[in-house]
Amino acid sequence: NAGVTQTPKFRILKIGQSMTLQCTQDMNHNYMYWYRQDPGMGLKLIYYSVGAGITDKGEVPNGYNVSRSTTEDFPLRLELAAPSQTSVYFCASTQQENTEAFFGQGTRLTVV
Amino acid sequence: GESVGLHLPTLSVQEGDNSIINCAYSNSASDYFIWYKQESGKGPQFIIDIRSNMDKRQGQRVTVLLNKTVKHLSLQIAATQPGDSAVYFCAENPQTGGFKTIFGAGTRLFVKA
């Protein structure tokens, strides 16, 4: 049972490039989330999904897009990378509302 | 607006002592609270949770206390060990949209041997 798996672990992008951060979970959780964590700060919600085919914006969605075609996968897309998107990105999932979240190991992204 | 914050950004304790990490929240309607531990280079890991109909919950070496009157949450770690060194986040789930967790900024715990 792998839990939540994120790839890649590290990435350096040039300004204006695009990339997709992958996230998959094998716990059959309906709820999935993308957070970003800036140095010395807490996590901020970018996007979330309550089930396959359903996504919605979180606190800081600008510059990002998501899709949820299957229960397992929740990729995060950056179309035009900007230095402000330099951060550590965490994917998470929960079984239902008001339950513990399971996090991936994170993707450290640097935009130069 | 809604916010979850921590009183002390850094806490240093001696190995074997008890640690207390505090947290204030502003949304009195929140009904689910969680503590997460984050070790360097890793994702947050669930420690313990508490619902608003309780004021205390105990786990293995950890206790969470909830004071709804003053909107205060604390995490107590008994007999703190070097492996407890990490950043600890408190988090709250609002009553509506109870899956949109709001995280505090975190407290870094240093355990001195």
Side-chain angles (χ1 to χ4, degrees):
Chain A
N1 193 338
V4 179
T5 303
Q6 290 181 238
T7 56
K9 287 187 170 55
F10 304 93
R11 184 71 186 269
I12 298 174
L13 280 182
K14 294 184 178 179
I15 294 172
Q17 286 185 320
S18 62
M19 78 164 293
T20 300
L21 283 68
Q22 301 291 345
C23 176
T24 187
Q25 52 93 7
D26 61 1
M27 297 172 284
N28 202 33
H29 286 174
N30 281 325
Y31 298 89
M32 294 189 73
Y33 317 82
W34 274 106
Y35 293 92
R36 60 176 288 171
Q37 184 178 33
D38 297 325
M41 304 292 286
L43 284 75
K44 292 187 177 179
L45 183 64
I46 305 171
Y47 269 95
Y48 65 93
S49 169
V50 301
I54 306 169
T55 63
D56 208 345
K57 296 177 180 178
E59 183 184 358
V60 289
N62 291 343
Y64 306 96
N65 278 299
V66 293
S67 59
R68 185 92 183 273
S69 56
T70 66
T71 299
E72 294 79 19
D73 301 307
F74 190 41
L76 177 72
R77 178 84 177 160
L78 283 72
E79 290 293 350
L80 290 170
S84 61
Q85 292 178 305
T86 294
S87 190
V88 181
Y89 292 84
F90 288 101
C91 179
S93 71
T94 61
Q95 186 175 38
Q96 55 190 349
E97 294 184 27
N98 291 335
T99 57
E100 66 177 283
F102 293 83
F103 285 84
Q105 293 292 293
T107 295
R108 184 175 295 276
L109 175 67
T110 302
V111 182
V112 297
Chain B
E2 300 173 354
S3 66
V4 178
L6 296 172
H7 295 304
L8 298 173
T10 303
L11 178 65
S12 184
V13 299
Q14 198 69 39
E15 181 180 0
D17 287 351
N18 296 335
S19 303
I20 300 175
I21 301 173
N22 295 305
C23 176
Y25 64 94
S26 60
N27 187 352
S28 56
S30 291
D31 61 1
Y32 179 62
F33 304 87
I34 319 105
W35 281 100
Y36 289 94
K37 173 186 180 183
Q38 186 177 27
E39 296 175 284
S40 181
K42 296 184 178 180
Q45 185 178 16
F46 171 87
I47 303 173
I48 192 167
D49 59 3
I50 189 167
R51 300 188 188 276
S52 59
N53 61 352
M54 304 171 68
D55 53 20
K56 181 179 180 178
R57 190 157 189 237
Q58 289 185 291
Q60 189 177 14
R61 281 201 308 117
V62 294
T63 300
V64 55
L65 299 177
L66 175 63
N67 186 330
K68 294 180 286 293
T69 302
V70 295
K71 290 183 285 188
H72 184 267
L73 192 68
S74 69
L75 176 70
Q76 300 177 1
I77 304 173
T80 313
Q81 302 169 359
D84 294 326
S85 293
V87 177
Y88 290 81
F89 293 96
C90 66
E92 66 175 307
N93 280 14
Q95 201 168 44
T96 55
F99 44 85
K100 290 193 280 186
T101 304
I102 301 168
F103 285 84
T107 291
R108 183 174 296 280
L109 176 65
F110 288 103
V111 181
K112 296 177 287 187

